[in-house]
Amino acid sequence: MKPSFRSLTATAAALALTAPLWISGAHAATVTISCGSVGQDYENCKNMTADWAKKTGHEVKLFTIPNSTTDILALFRQLFAAKSPDLDVVNVDVVWPGVIKDHLLDLKPYSKGIEKEHFPAIVANNTVDGKLLAMPWFTDAGLLFYRKDLVEKYGAKPPTTWEELAATAKKIQDGERAAGNKDFHGFVFQAKAYEGLTCDAVEWVHSYGGGNIVNDKGEITINNPKAVQALKTAASWIGTIAPQGVLNYAEEEARGVFQNGNAAFMRNWPYAWSLGNAKDSKISGKIGVSALPKGGASGQNAATLGGWQLAVSKYSRNPAIAADLVMFMTSAESQKYRAINGSYNPTIAALYKDKDVLAANPFFGSLYEVFTSAVPRPATATGAKYPEVSSAFWNATHDVLSGQATAEDSLKKLEGKLKQVQRGKW
């Protein structure tokens, strides 16, 4: 039985909360927060903010956001352009701090140094021009989920290369379809033209030794033979082991197919573990998790770095109160609750040794290195131009997957497009 949030946060002192702000004479305020809309984010956020509201006397409203990270950023940019005070606490993708830095409050005056408990690389990612613009909330890395019962049934093993995955997926797909499940597929992932496809494709390219879209020096490196090989390999999955419809799949569409028992393998983020093992899941207890495959025998494992942070909008009418909510939501106790109830990876190293967290998510321990050595998207190198870079990359990749362009032509065209975006410097 999963513990309630309140049972994990027995006292306000344990959460390192200061005396509630309303006690010091400030009036009770209403703070609006945007939480995620994928998986159990919304329910977890609702429970945690309700607990904070009870302790502080303030009111919290939840701001509904789209599922797609691309759409979320567009919405936030509209609010920031209008200097809207309607949103106080903002959830920030790991690649956004440099993009929306001008609209976020420096949290250092409110953090009291607690950020030192979090992974240094993520804190550094969230620090721009010496300002701590966001507190780490949870980290993420792409993983391979698989039906361990079906892998065993067909005498296979969890694949270590993409080539092995394709062969095993085809074998299981053929067998399950012959047994009567005509809707069964070998592999599902995120192939819709959006930020999620950038994440998947960065993994493919890196796994084949093709580097990144742009390297750490800001050089455009994506147009190379290894990257061509990676995209050709991924394109070969469409219509063979992956359905044609995968070209419109984001995280939740892929999870829906896998969780309904209609796929052997799935690329997704850790949140899918908790949902896949829920009581209402058709495949509860039948899921295995491993690192994503290598690009051939000479390739390497690669998982794109994901994760979200919490920040305070510069346009908030109650910045100190909003910052207090951020510190509560990103605390060790809050992260432990989210890890147990939603398999969200903590950003605090000590929680990876917590027995309750590991009991709920055994792979947190075995795949620890996957999370700590994940491949970042080139957001730091490209700064405010990252959204344009990513959009060009996912569209180029989607053209290859959908058969509208060859990998060679698409990456050559992409290189030219990125040079236009760069205009000499990022």
Side-chain angles (χ1 to χ4, degrees):
M1 180 178 177
K2 292 179 179 178
S4 67
F5 181 58
R6 193 158 288 118
S7 70
L8 287 172
T9 57
T11 65
L15 279 163
L17 284 175
T18 56
L21 294 170
W22 59 273
I23 290 177
S24 62
H27 65 282
T30 298
V31 177
T32 302
I33 181 173
S34 64
C35 290
S37 53
V38 173
Q40 295 166 294
D41 257 352
Y42 188 84
E43 283 302 314
N44 283 337
C45 191
K46 185 178 176 182
N47 292 339
M48 294 165 68
T49 54
D51 203 72
W52 178 83
K54 185 176 181 180
K55 285 181 170 66
T56 63
H58 298 302
E59 180 186 1
V60 181
K61 289 185 178 180
L62 303 189
F63 186 89
T64 303
I65 57 174
N67 284 340
S68 165
T69 52
T70 308
D71 295 339
I72 296 169
L73 180 59
L75 175 60
F76 287 171
R77 281 178 143 175
Q78 287 179 355
L79 292 170
F80 292 149
K83 297 186 177 180
S84 172
D86 294 342
L87 184 57
D88 300 282
V89 177
V90 186
N91 57 326
V92 176
D93 196 352
V94 70
V95 293
W96 292 352
V99 177
I100 58 175
K101 61 182 180 180
D102 295 333
H103 308 285
L104 303 179
L105 193 72
D106 183 4
L107 294 176
K108 277 190 176 177
Y110 307 98
S111 69
K112 298 180 180 178
I114 198 70
E115 67 271 16
K116 293 176 183 176
E117 293 185 6
H118 297 258
F119 289 138
I122 300 177
V123 174
N125 178 81
N126 297 348
T127 303
V128 181
D129 300 329
K131 296 176 181 178
L132 180 63
L133 299 182
M135 281 295 293
W137 194 22
F138 67 95
T139 189
D140 242 346
L143 297 172
L144 182 68
F145 294 82
Y146 61 93
R147 286 283 301 278
K148 58 185 182 181
D149 57 326
L150 294 181
V151 168
E152 182 179 345
K153 176 182 175 181
Y154 290 91
K157 294 180 180 179
T160 58
T161 67
W162 290 115
E163 291 73 18
E164 287 178 7
L165 180 140
T168 304
K170 186 68 165 60
K171 183 178 182 180
I172 297 174
Q173 176 180 282
D174 290 348
E176 291 303 290
R177 288 183 178 180
N181 187 352
K182 302 300 182 184
D183 295 324
F184 194 88
H185 302 286
F187 184 37
V188 290
F189 50 98
Q190 296 74 49
K192 179 181 176 181
Y194 80 119
E195 185 66 26
L197 178 53
T198 289
C199 294
D200 287 37
V202 162
E203 291 165 348
W204 305 333
V205 171
H206 198 83
S207 74
Y208 277 96
N212 212 315
I213 309 165
V214 174
N215 68 16
D216 292 343
K217 297 178 182 178
E219 299 165 339
I220 299 165
T221 59
I222 189 59
N223 186 19
N224 66 77
K226 294 293 187 181
V228 167
Q229 182 184 7
L231 295 196
K232 278 185 173 181
T233 299
S236 73
W237 303 331
I238 311 297
T240 54
I241 59 171
Q244 202 70 32
V246 80
L247 294 169
N248 289 311
Y249 282 14
E251 284 85 355
E252 285 294 82
E253 287 79 12
R255 184 179 68 83
V257 173
F258 184 73
Q259 197 166 312
N260 279 322
N262 288 325
F265 296 96
M266 172 182 69
R267 184 272 179 208
N268 219 318
W269 306 98
Y271 85 95
W273 168 264
S274 177
L275 292 164
N277 284 301
K279 290 181 180 179
D280 60 351
S281 171
K282 292 182 179 180
I283 57 171
S284 181
K286 300 176 181 178
I287 305 170
V289 186
S290 68
L292 288 163
K294 299 177 181 179
S298 61
Q300 57 193 314
N301 300 106
T304 295
L305 176 67
W308 289 78
Q309 342 298 315
L310 289 179
V312 176
S313 168
K314 266 189 179 178
Y315 314 112
S316 169
R317 292 193 182 101
N318 299 287
I321 296 172
D324 190 73
L325 176 57
V326 167
M327 297 308 152
F328 176 91
M329 297 286 283
T330 58
S331 67
E333 287 74 16
S334 296
Q335 290 204 11
K336 177 173 179 175
Y337 167 75
R338 284 171 55 81
I340 293 171
N341 285 270
S343 56
Y344 290 97
N345 281 73
T347 60
I348 298 170
L351 289 174
Y352 287 85
K353 297 178 181 179
D354 186 285
K355 59 181 177 57
D356 297 326
V357 171
L358 291 176
N361 310 280
F363 64 93
F364 276 18
S366 60
L367 297 179
Y368 181 72
E369 287 188 11
V370 172
F371 303 117
T372 56
S373 61
V375 181
R377 286 159 279 172
T380 302
T382 58
K385 293 182 180 179
Y386 174 75
E388 289 181 84
V389 171
S390 184
S391 176
F393 180 57
W394 80 56
N395 282 318
T397 300
H398 198 267
D399 285 347
V400 178
L401 298 182
S402 59
Q404 296 180 46
T406 65
E408 292 88 349
D409 289 347
S410 190
L411 291 184
K412 183 178 180 181
K413 184 178 177 182
L414 173 63
E415 183 179 35
K417 171 71 173 175
L418 293 180
K419 285 179 179 178
Q420 290 178 349
V421 173
Q422 185 183 27
R423 297 185 196 93
K425 64 176 182 178
W426 295 112

